[in-house]
C-alpha cells in the first residue's frame, strides 16, 4: 500500500467514524494506520499533502488571529417564542411570494458559527462569524475537527459553507473533569468551552478538546446549481460534510411547527445542546424574493423553547466571591437533570432575590436554566415545608479574606472591601497594570494568570519584586520579554499620583475622578486623611465617591497594600499642575462620536488648554462638543440654551479662530 492509498483508507475510516457514526475498524486498528502514515511522512516530508489526516493534529502556535471580511454576510435570525408568532411568519412569507411555500425545520445548535471556504476542492480558510461582516481566521484550529473535510469529493472552483462548532456533552464532561483534576476553573457550559477552544492560539489545545460541527448552509458556490435548501444539504453530505440533522420538508407552516414541537420533545436525548429550532423557506428562489433586513433574513425564524422547570431539594446556600468582589449566594441542590445536563448548583442572584421569594435552606424548590445556560431557583413549593427549614443571612465579612462587606443604598450587590482578596486578585492586578492606570506595557491578563499560577505574585505589590531571571524562567517567556516587562514595571513607579489613585481600583473612582482628586490633594497621604465632607465638596466629586474613598482607606489590608507600594518606591505626589490656556475657566461636555478624534483625545486637548471636562450637562456647562449619534446630553444642552459646537468649531477654537 503506497502513501496515497494509506491516506485514502484513513480518510475513509475517519468519515465512517466521525461523520456517519458507523465505524468498521477498532480504535487500535485506526491508530496503527495513522502511526504508519506519520512515519512515512516523517521519512518523506516532500510527500505531505494539505489534506493528509496528519494535518489535523495541531501544534502551530499563532501570535494572534487575522481578520477575515465575509463577502456574504453571516446573518443572525429573528427569534419567536410561541406558535402564534410562527404562524404569523408563515402568513407573511406566503403573502410575499404569492404562492405555496415549503419549509425546512432544523435543530438550532448552541455553538459557535463559522465559515469554511474551499478552493478547487481543498479547505483553505475557516473563520468565526464575528459581527457577521468581519470575523477571525481560525483555520488551524478548525483543521483539528475531524468532521471538517480537508478535501471534498468534487473539485469545485469555490465553495463557502456555514456551520456550527459545538462540544458534545461527553467531550464537555471529560474536559471539565480534567480542569478540576489540574485545579483549573471548569467551563460553565459546552458553548463557552467550544468558543474558548476554537480561539486557542495553540492549535494542539484545540485538537485535544474534541470539538464537533454541523454544516447547515451553502453561503457561496461555483460550479454547481442548487435550487432548494434540502438539495444543498444533500449535496454537502455527498461532498463529505456532517450536515445538520432533522431536515423534514413541510408543506405548510402548521406542519413546520409540529416539527418544532417534536424537536423540543427530544432535547434531553441529544448528546449536544440546542437552544431552539429553525424554520426556513426551502426554495432558494423564494428566498431571493423575500430578501433580508440589515441583520436577519426574512425567510427564516428561530423558535426559542421555554425553559424546562424541575423540582428538587435545596440542601444549603453557600456564598461565592466573584472577581469584582460581589458576594453571590448559590443554592446547593439535590442533583436533577435539566435541559440536557445534571444540575447540583443554582444561582440565587442576591439577598433581595432570596427574601423576595422567601427561599430557605431545606426548601423544595423549582429550578430552571435561564437562557438554557445558568441554573436558577424560580420559586419555592411552600406546601412541602416541614418547619425544619432555616432562613439564610448574608455574612458580614468576606468568606474568602475576612474583610468587611458593604452594600450601597439602591444596590442589590453586597461587596468585599478587601483589595488583597484572593477571589478578585487577578482582576485587581489586571486593572492596576492597565493603560489608564499604571500602564505597565506587556502585563496582560494571560501573563497575570501565569504569574499567579506560578506563585510569583500574590498582590500588586509583588509586581515590584519581580526580577528578570525569575520572569524569564516562565513558560514561553524569553529573556528579552522579561527585561521589557521588568523595565515597564520600574518605569511605572514614576507615574503621576492620578494614575496610582485610579489603579487602586476604588469603586466609583474613574480615571478623570482620580485626576481631579490628585490635583486637589496633591499627595496620597492628604487624600487618605480627608473626610467625606471635604472630598464631596470638590467640584465633580459627589457624596457617593467620597463615601467609597473613605471606606476604602479605612480597611487595614488596603492601608497595608499602600504602605508596601510606598516601600517599593512608587510616586505618591501629583506631578501635574493646572494648565492655563484658551479654555481656562470653561467646562465642556462631550457626547456622540467625533469624526476624526476620540473623546479621550478631545478631553486631553481641553485639559491641556486649561479647560475642564464634565460627564453631565448643567447650567455651569459652557460648551457641549457633539458628534454623530449624540443623545440626551445634546437634548438637555438645547433645552438649557448651552452652546453646542462641532469638532470643526472646536478645532477653530484651539487655533484661535
Amino acid at each position: 500500500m503506497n502513501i496515497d492509498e494509506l491516506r485514502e483508507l484513513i480518510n475513509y475510516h475517519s468519515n465512517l467514524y466521525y461523520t456517519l457514526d458507523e465505524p468498521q475498524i477498532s480504535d487500535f486498528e485506526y491508530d496503527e494506520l495513522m502511526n504508519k502514515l506519520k512515519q512515512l511522512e516523517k521519512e518523506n516530508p516532500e510527500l505531505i499533502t494539505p489534506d493528509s489526516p496528519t494535518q489535523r493534529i495541531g501544534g502551530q502556535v499563532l501570535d494572534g488571529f487575522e481578520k477575515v471580511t465575509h463577502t456574504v454576510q453571516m446573518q443572525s435570525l429573528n427569534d419567536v417564542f410561541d406558535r402564534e408568532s410562527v404562524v404569523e411568519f408563515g402568513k407573511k412569507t406566503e403573502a410575499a411570494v404569492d404562492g405555496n411555500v415549503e419549509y425546512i425545520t432544523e435543530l438550532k445548535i448552541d455553538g459557535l458559527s463559522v465559515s469554511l471556504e474551499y478552493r478547487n476542492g481543498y479547505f483553505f480558510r475557516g473563520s468565526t462569524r464575528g459581527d457577521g461582516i468581519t470575523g477571525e481566521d481560525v483555520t488551524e484550529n478548525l483543521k483539528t475537527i475531524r468532521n471538517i473535510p480537508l478535501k471534498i469529493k468534487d473539485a469545485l472552483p469555490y465553495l463557502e459553507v456555514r456551520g456550527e462548532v459545538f462540544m458534545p456533552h461527553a467531550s464537555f464532561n471529560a474536559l471539565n473533569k480534567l480542569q478540576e483534576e489540574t485545579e483549573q476553573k471548569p467551563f460553565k457550559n459546552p458553548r463557552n468551552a467550544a468558543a474558548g477552544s476554537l480561539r486557542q492560539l495553540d492549535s494542539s489545545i484545540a485538537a485535544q478538546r474534541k470539538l464537533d460541527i454541523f454544516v447547515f448552509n451553502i453561503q457561496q458556490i461555483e460550479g454547481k446549481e442548487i435550487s432548494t435548501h434540502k438539495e444543498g444539504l444533500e449535496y454537502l453530505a455527498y461532498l463529505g460534510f456532517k450536515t445538520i440533522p432533522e431536515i423534514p420538508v413541510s408543506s405548510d407552516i402548521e406542519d413546520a411547527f409540529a416539527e418544532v414541537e417534536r424537536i423540543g420533545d427530544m432535547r434531553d436525548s441529544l448528546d449536544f445542546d440546542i437552544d431552539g429550532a429553525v424554520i426556513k423557506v426551502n426554495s432558494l428562489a423564494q428566498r431571493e424574493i423575500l430578501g433580508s433586513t440589515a441583520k436577519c433574513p426574512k425567510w427564516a425564524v428561530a423558535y426559542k423553547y421555554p425553559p424546562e422547570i424541575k423540582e428538587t431539594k435545596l440542601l444549603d446556600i453557600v456564598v461565592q466571591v466573584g472577581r469584582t468582589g460581589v458576594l453571590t449566594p448559590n443554592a446547593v441542590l439535590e442533583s436533577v437533570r435539566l435541559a440536557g445536563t445534571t444540575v447540583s448548583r443554582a444561582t440565587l442572584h442576591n439577598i433581595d432575590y432570596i427574601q423576595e421569594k422567601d427561599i430557605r435552606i431545606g426548601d423544595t424548590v423549582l429550578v430552571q436554566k435561564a437562557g438554557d445556560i445558568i441554573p436558577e431557583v424560580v420559586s419555592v413549593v411552600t406546601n412541602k415545608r416541614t418547619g425544619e427549614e432555616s432562613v439564610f443571612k448574608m455574612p458580614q465579612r468576606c468568606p474568602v479574606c475576612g474583610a468587611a462587606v458593604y452594600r450601597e443604598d439602591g444596590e442589590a450587590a453586597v461587596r468585599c472591601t478587601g483589595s488583597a482578596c484572593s477571589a478578585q486578585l487577578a482582576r485587581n492586578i489586571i486593572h492596576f497594570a492597565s493603560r489608564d492606570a499604571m500602564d505597565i506595557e506587556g502585563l496582560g491578563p494571560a501573563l497575570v494568570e501565569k504569574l499567579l499560577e506560578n506563585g510569583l505574585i500574590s498582590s500588586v505589590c509583588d509586581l515590584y519584586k519581580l526580577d528578570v531571571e525569575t520572569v524569564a524562567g516562565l513558560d514561553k517567556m524569553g529573556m528579552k520579554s522579561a527585561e521589557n516587562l521588568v523595565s515597564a514595571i520600574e518605569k511605572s513607579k514614576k507615574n503621576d499620583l492620578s494614575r496610582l489613585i485610579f489603579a487602586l481600583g476604588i469603586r466609583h473612582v474613574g480615571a478623570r475622578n482620580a485626576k481631579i482628586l490628585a490635583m486637589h490633594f496633591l499627595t496620597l497621604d492628604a487624600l487618605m486623611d480627608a473626610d467625606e465632607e471635604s472630598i464631596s465638596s470638590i467640584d465633580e466629586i459627589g457624596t457617593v465617591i467620597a463615601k467609597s474613598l473613605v471606606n476604602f482607606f479605612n480597611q487595614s489590608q488596603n492601608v497595608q497594600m499602600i504602605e508596601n507600594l510606598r516601600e517599593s518606591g512608587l510616586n505618591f505626589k501629583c506631578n501635574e499642575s493646572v494648565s492655563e490656556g484658551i479654555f481656562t475657566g470653561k467646562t465642556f461636555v462631550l457626547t456622540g462620536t467625533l469624526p476624526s478624534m476620540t473623546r479621550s483625545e478631545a478631553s486631553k486637548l481641553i485639559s491641556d488648554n486649561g479647560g475642564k471636562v464634565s460627564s453631565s450637562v448643567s447650567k455651569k456647562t459652557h460648551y457641549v462638543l457633539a458628534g454623530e449619534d449624540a443623545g440626551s446630553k445634546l437634548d438637555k444642552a438645547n433645552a438649557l440654551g448651552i452652546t453646542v459646537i462641532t469638532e470643526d468649531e472646536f478645532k477653530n477654537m484651539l487655533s484661535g479662530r
Side-chain angles (χ1 to χ4, degrees), residues 75 78 89 93 281 287 289-293 296-301:
Q75 295 185 310
N78 285 316
F89 161 74
T93 300
V281 171
R287 289 186 183 185
I289 295 170
L290 291 163
S292 302
T293 65
C296 304
K298 294 181 181 179
W299 42 262
V301 288

Side-chain angles (χ1 to χ4, degrees), residues 5-218:
E5 292 171 335
L6 180 57
R7 282 197 197 101
E8 190 174 337
L9 180 62
I10 292 173
N11 283 328
Y12 169 76
H13 286 295
S14 290
N15 185 56
L16 286 173
Y17 183 89
Y18 293 105
T19 304
L20 302 179
D21 197 22
E22 297 173 356
Q24 292 181 353
I25 60 175
S26 67
D27 289 350
F28 177 76
E29 290 172 301
Y30 180 86
D31 290 341
E32 276 195 324
L33 293 173
M34 182 65 85
N35 289 332
K36 186 176 180 180
L37 177 59
K38 288 178 186 176
Q39 186 60 38
L40 285 171
E41 290 186 345
K42 184 178 180 181
E43 294 169 356
N44 305 278
E46 73 280 1
L47 298 180
I48 298 175
T49 60
D51 63 323
S52 173
T54 59
Q55 301 306 296
R56 297 185 180 278
I57 297 170
Q60 181 172 345
V61 180
L62 305 174
D63 295 327
F65 297 114
E66 297 290 332
K67 298 296 183 184
V68 175
T69 300
H70 303 303
T71 53
V72 172
Q73 185 180 356
M74 295 179 69
Q75 295 185 310
S76 55
L77 293 170
N78 285 316
D79 293 335
V80 293
F81 301 92
D82 51 47
R83 175 186 168 279
E84 289 72 21
S85 299
V86 171
V87 172
E88 182 64 22
F89 161 74
K91 287 180 179 178
K92 286 183 178 179
T93 300
E94 288 155 21
V97 300
D98 192 24
N100 295 328
V101 179
E102 287 185 339
Y103 300 95
I104 290 250
T105 308
E106 300 173 353
L107 304 177
K108 188 174 185 298
I109 310 299
D110 191 13
L112 191 73
S113 197
V114 297
S115 160
L116 309 177
E117 294 177 83
Y118 292 77
R119 187 178 291 132
N120 298 321
Y122 287 91
F123 177 52
F124 75 91
R125 185 168 66 182
S127 53
T128 60
R129 176 180 178 272
D131 62 4
I133 297 172
T134 304
E136 293 179 317
D137 188 329
V138 288
T139 305
E140 294 306 315
N141 288 340
L142 286 169
K143 282 182 179 179
T144 69
I145 301 176
R146 303 282 182 165
N147 287 328
I148 295 178
L150 301 181
K151 180 183 178 183
I152 55 177
K153 286 185 180 179
D154 290 351
L156 299 170
Y158 179 76
L159 172 68
E160 181 188 5
V161 300
R162 182 171 174 179
E164 195 82 1
V165 172
F166 64 96
M167 184 173 286
H169 292 159
S171 300
F172 175 71
N173 294 334
L175 174 59
N176 267 354
K177 183 179 179 182
L178 179 63
Q179 293 288 104
E180 291 168 358
E181 288 173 351
T182 54
E183 298 183 351
Q184 297 182 70
K185 186 178 179 180
F187 290 94
K188 289 184 178 179
N189 54 66
R191 187 191 186 284
N192 285 1
S197 302
L198 198 60
R199 298 196 74 257
Q200 291 289 331
L201 292 175
D202 184 347
S203 58
S204 64
I205 297 176
Q208 296 165 13
R209 300 286 175 84
K210 297 183 179 178
L211 298 172
D212 208 332
I213 188 172
F214 284 120
V215 171
F216 62 84
N217 199 58
I218 295 175

